[in-house]
Amino acid sequence: MITETGKVIALQGTQAWVQTIQTSACESCSARAGCGQRALAAVSGGKANQVLVLNTVDAQVGDEVVIGVDEQSLLVASLAVYGVPLLLMVLVSIGAFRLLGGTDLVAILGALVGLGAGFALVRRWQSKLGDRFQPHMVRVNRIASVTCL
């Protein structure tokens, strides 16, 4: 499971908005010099990201929580989002070129139609699967307060 720590900033019914800042993990990582994630965090300026997740651990506003995504789900989703549109773009472009005439314009239009169809297909597939690819709360990090007398 891939996890990230964040802070609950708002509750919305059975869901919670969690704010994460990715640079915190980058500063302590030994592989930060050659990491693409660090480069992305540097480009965004370490800005906070907000994620809407199902509040399965009864977190409250202000709680520090750990959210996670299953590696297999992330791999399947990445392959679908990147692979399916690209594959359909190439296949429809080649098919249009061979069937409708051998011009570059036909191939380009076929590529655009295939790319759009690929995105539509992935979106429809994702909406049918529901919450399988959504991050979820793993636990709440509660620190016991110490009172001095």
Side-chain angles (χ1 to χ4, degrees):
M1 176 164 296
I2 300 170
T3 61
E4 180 73 31
T5 303
K7 184 177 183 180
V8 177
I9 57 171
L11 297 175
Q12 183 177 336
T14 61
Q15 297 179 319
W17 283 100
V18 177
Q19 182 174 354
T20 63
I21 301 175
Q22 295 177 342
T23 57
S24 62
C26 294
E27 297 305 319
S28 62
C29 181
S30 62
R32 67 181 173 188
C35 178
Q37 187 68 27
R38 180 169 163 38
L40 286 175
V43 169
S44 69
K47 293 181 182 174
N49 299 314
Q50 295 179 357
V51 182
L52 184 64
V53 297
L54 193 61
N55 189 0
T56 56
V57 294
D58 196 32
Q60 301 300 316
V61 174
D63 285 347
E64 183 178 287
V65 296
V66 176
I67 57 174
V69 173
D70 181 50
E71 292 102 345
Q72 188 68 27
S73 296
L74 184 63
L75 181 64
V76 170
S78 298
L79 184 61
V81 167
Y82 292 108
V84 171
L86 183 63
L87 181 64
L88 281 178
M89 181 181 80
V90 170
L91 292 176
V92 173
S93 177
I94 291 170
F97 183 81
R98 288 188 177 173
L99 296 175
L100 301 176
T103 65
D104 290 342
L105 181 61
V106 169
I108 291 169
L109 291 175
L112 291 174
V113 168
L115 186 65
F119 285 133
L121 182 66
V122 169
R123 181 153 177 95
R124 184 175 178 163
W125 174 69
Q126 183 270 334
S127 67
K128 285 186 178 185
L129 291 177
D131 295 336
R132 179 174 175 212
F133 300 113
Q134 296 294 325
H136 60 279
M137 285 192 195
V138 178
R139 67 180 176 273
V140 176
N141 292 337
R142 290 199 172 101
I143 300 172
S145 61
V146 177
T147 57
C148 298
L149 298 175

